[in-house]
Amino acid sequence: MFVAERRELLLQRLQADGKLVARDLAVELGLSEDSVRRDLRDLAAAGLCQRVYGGAVPVSRALADYSARRAVEPDSKRRVAARATRLIRAGDRVILDGGTTTLAVARTLPRDLAVTVITHSPTIAAALVDHPLVEILLLGGRVYKHSAVACGAATVEAAQTITADLFLLGVTGVHADHGLTTGDAEEAAMKRVLASRAADTYVLASVEKLGAVSPYKVLDLGAVTGIVTDAFEGEPVDQLRRAGPELILTG
Amino acid sequence: MFVAERRELLLQRLQADGKLVARDLAVELGLSEDSVRRDLRDLAAAGLCQRVYGGAVPVSRALADYSARRAVEPDSKRRVAARATRLIRAGDRVILDGGTTTLAVARTLPRDLAVTVITHSPTIAAALVDHPLVEILLLGGRVYKHSAVACGAATVEAAQTITADLFLLGVTGVHADHGLTTGDAEEAAMKRVLASRAADTYVLASVEKLGAVSPYKVLDLGAVTGIVTDAFEGEPVDQLRRAGPELILTG
DNA sequence: CTCTCTTCACGTTCATGCACGTTTCGATCA
DNA sequence: TGATCGAAACGTGCATGAACGTGAAGAGAG
């Protein structure tokens, strides 16, 4: 990737997220923080962003003090996504579920990480097209509007032909008694099929999902390898842990 | 290959990929990096591209990266897209090819038009998720980075199971003698398969495509029902018309 | 032979990562 | 409240390798 190209990407990201974090960008772009800082410095010198401690913000919307910026810090989904990304090893075949958290995973995949991503989400596939090394395997079928993923017989059939090392699963409810749940029956079935194709399944559960229950059961807690969450140690987390899965905290 | 010819190729490649990498081009064209660099230097001097360390990018910053190009289509593509949209009737099953022009079609679909859209492009599928009435059928398979569409055996197989009323085809070259051409062999084959599944095939050809020739043949002009273009009446248009297809002008 | 295009050789510039000393920030303590 | 301390972020200088431009030499077409 060219320098000019990279800076273009940074500006684009700045507009989308409202801020740039040097450390995260370094990991994501697969280069040292020094180089990222150099980019930010040059962009700031060109008047395209404003440099702040830890990263950069848009010129117009510069926040007064550091603590106020802390408030806009990576929201919980970003944190969970960043931690989940670290579960992926070079060469892995990874199934990415649909949803905003897994989309964040796709966007934070380091650019020097060569993996095969299998997904039934056109949104995730589209987000990964720009990645230089990732090979994308798209599972086709009828696209359900509810959460913008392909579901149904054709998709299940396509899923049956593949295997993977890892499945990053998104759900809307994670409950010690009711297990993993989501809002659509067809999607729940799809998630089960995908889980059956991967050696390990990890649930991405930002803190608001814990304790929540949705109408349709996906899997029991015992059926997954682990749960990635940004919740802190405590009784709710312990309850989940007793049900079987490894609890991976972002803390 | 003549120098002028090679530079034509470079420009074409630049428009397709959004960037040129000196090293890759040297290997691909079978000559030294020196010569490639000289070409890039001359093209930049003529204002046809912008030189960067490692290669070259388009002059306009709007064209600098593919994602930006997806956001703002030139007027010509929008005109063609708008006219092509009028070929679609309520209840139709429509195959949408990948590419910026067909993406513009997806975006301009009236929100009260109920159709089934079949596509092998995750980008187009993602763009249609917000549409209230469209039913999306996604063709899966390995996603080719070149133009961000699914191709290959699995995709062909999926395509064989469907039929459609209409196929809106995007190509990079429309030429009276050389027919319809595109920049990738695999994609060319994919487009042929899709054409075979639809009752009618219409080519979307904004004016800069007319008279252009790319390396890989898709179909003969006689194999398609019509060509939608924003070119004006004249000898070039007449030449195409004599080859068989109906010419639909936006003018 | 002449002209053009190409490659090769050379010294130069550029991008990057590392090392080191400095600054900034939040937390802790008086 | 104000002072102090450690960690993180920062800037600078430097080394390295890649990419670059220039000029000379070689190859091929007319």
Side-chain angles (χ1 to χ4, degrees):
Chain A
M1 159 173 300
F2 303 138
V3 178
E5 210 177 349
R6 191 177 63 220
R7 301 199 173 163
E8 198 68 34
L9 180 75
L10 291 184
L11 288 177
Q12 204 174 310
R13 182 63 63 87
L14 178 60
Q15 193 167 13
D17 297 351
K19 63 167 183 175
L20 294 174
V21 181
R23 186 187 175 79
D24 295 353
L25 290 170
V27 174
E28 192 178 334
L29 298 173
L31 35 78
S32 73
E33 292 185 41
D34 297 76
S35 298
V36 173
R37 273 200 294 270
R38 251 188 285 257
D39 284 348
L40 295 181
R41 206 184 312 163
D42 293 351
L43 287 176
L48 297 169
C49 72
Q50 181 163 337
R51 196 77 175 79
V52 296
Y53 194 82
V57 295
V59 270
S60 49
R61 209 188 327 148
L63 293 170
D65 59 311
Y66 187 77
S67 44
R69 287 197 305 275
R70 264 277 158 85
V72 241
E73 229 192 338
D75 54 4
S76 62
K77 291 188 182 191
R78 283 291 283 280
R79 280 199 299 273
V80 171
R83 183 62 188 85
T85 301
R86 285 167 48 203
L87 296 171
I88 304 173
R89 312 204 163 278
D92 271 359
R93 293 168 63 84
V94 183
I95 306 177
L96 276 189
D97 199 3
T100 49
T101 312
T102 45
L103 180 59
V105 170
R107 292 186 57 187
T108 58
L109 272 186
R111 297 185 74 82
D112 59 352
L113 183 64
V115 295
T116 300
V117 170
I118 303 157
T119 185
H120 58 142
S121 159
T123 318
I124 288 193
L128 283 170
V129 163
D130 291 329
H131 194 290
L133 296 177
V134 163
E135 175 161 332
I136 311 166
L137 220 64
L138 185 62
L139 302 177
R142 184 171 181 284
V143 176
Y144 279 54
K145 295 290 174 59
H146 177 262
S147 66
V149 293
C151 283
T155 316
V156 169
E157 194 177 19
Q160 303 285 12
T161 69
I162 56 100
T163 60
D165 302 296
L166 202 62
F167 174 32
L168 298 184
L169 166 64
V171 295
T172 56
V174 178
H175 192 279
D177 296 330
H178 296 90
L180 306 168
T181 50
T182 192
D184 184 273
E186 194 74 31
E187 283 172 30
M190 193 64 230
K191 288 172 195 292
R192 273 195 297 276
V193 171
L194 292 177
S196 74
R197 308 309 305 168
D200 289 304
T201 297
Y202 287 86
V203 179
L204 309 189
S206 45
V207 64
E208 74 272 14
K209 311 280 175 62
L210 298 192
V213 179
S214 290
Y216 299 96
K217 175 77 166 282
V218 178
L219 287 168
D220 282 318
L221 288 175
V224 301
T225 312
I227 298 176
V228 183
T229 180
D230 60 330
F232 297 110
E233 279 297 349
E235 184 47 27
V237 167
D238 277 337
Q239 278 186 1
L240 296 175
R241 187 177 285 132
R242 278 196 291 274
E246 175 189 1
L247 261 289
I248 300 171
L249 308 185
T250 61
Chain B
M1 173 182 296
F2 302 125
V3 178
E5 203 177 351
R6 192 177 62 221
R7 299 198 174 169
E8 197 66 35
L9 179 72
L10 291 184
L11 287 176
Q12 201 173 313
R13 181 65 64 88
L14 178 60
Q15 190 169 12
D17 298 348
K19 64 188 272 194
L20 293 174
V21 182
R23 173 192 271 275
D24 295 354
L25 290 170
V27 173
E28 195 178 329
L29 299 174
L31 34 78
S32 73
E33 291 186 39
D34 297 75
S35 299
V36 174
R37 272 201 295 270
R38 188 153 25 79
D39 284 348
L40 295 182
R41 207 183 312 160
D42 294 351
L43 288 175
L48 298 170
C49 72
Q50 184 175 338
R51 196 78 174 79
V52 298
Y53 196 83
V57 294
V59 268
S60 160
R61 232 186 68 183
L63 299 175
D65 58 316
Y66 188 72
S67 37
R69 216 172 56 215
R70 277 181 296 204
V72 279
E73 304 97 10
D75 283 345
S76 66
K77 293 193 178 188
R78 208 161 340 143
R79 277 197 300 273
V80 171
R83 183 62 188 86
T85 302
R86 286 168 47 202
L87 296 170
I88 304 172
R89 310 202 165 279
D92 271 359
R93 295 167 62 83
V94 183
I95 304 177
L96 276 189
D97 199 3
T100 50
T101 312
T102 45
L103 180 58
V105 171
R107 287 188 172 142
T108 57
L109 274 186
R111 297 185 71 78
D112 60 351
L113 184 64
V115 295
T116 299
V117 170
I118 302 158
T119 185
H120 58 142
S121 159
T123 318
I124 288 192
L128 283 170
V129 163
D130 292 331
H131 195 288
L133 296 177
V134 162
E135 175 162 342
I136 311 165
L137 219 62
L138 186 61
L139 302 177
R142 184 172 181 284
V143 176
Y144 278 54
K145 295 288 174 62
H146 179 261
S147 66
V149 294
C151 284
T155 316
V156 168
E157 194 178 16
Q160 303 285 12
T161 69
I162 55 100
T163 60
D165 303 297
L166 202 60
F167 174 32
L168 298 184
L169 165 65
V171 295
T172 55
V174 178
H175 192 278
D177 297 330
H178 296 90
L180 306 169
T181 50
T182 192
D184 183 274
E186 194 75 29
E187 284 171 30
M190 192 66 230
K191 288 172 194 291
R192 273 195 298 276
V193 171
L194 292 177
S196 75
R197 309 307 305 167
D200 288 305
T201 296
Y202 286 87
V203 180
L204 309 190
S206 43
V207 65
E208 74 272 14
K209 311 280 175 61
L210 298 191
V213 178
S214 291
Y216 299 96
K217 177 76 166 283
V218 178
L219 287 167
D220 282 319
L221 287 175
V224 301
T225 313
I227 298 175
V228 183
T229 180
D230 59 332
F232 296 110
E233 279 296 350
E235 183 48 27
V237 167
D238 277 337
Q239 278 186 1
L240 296 175
R241 186 177 284 132
R242 278 195 292 274
E246 174 190 1
L247 263 287
I248 301 172
L249 308 184
T250 61

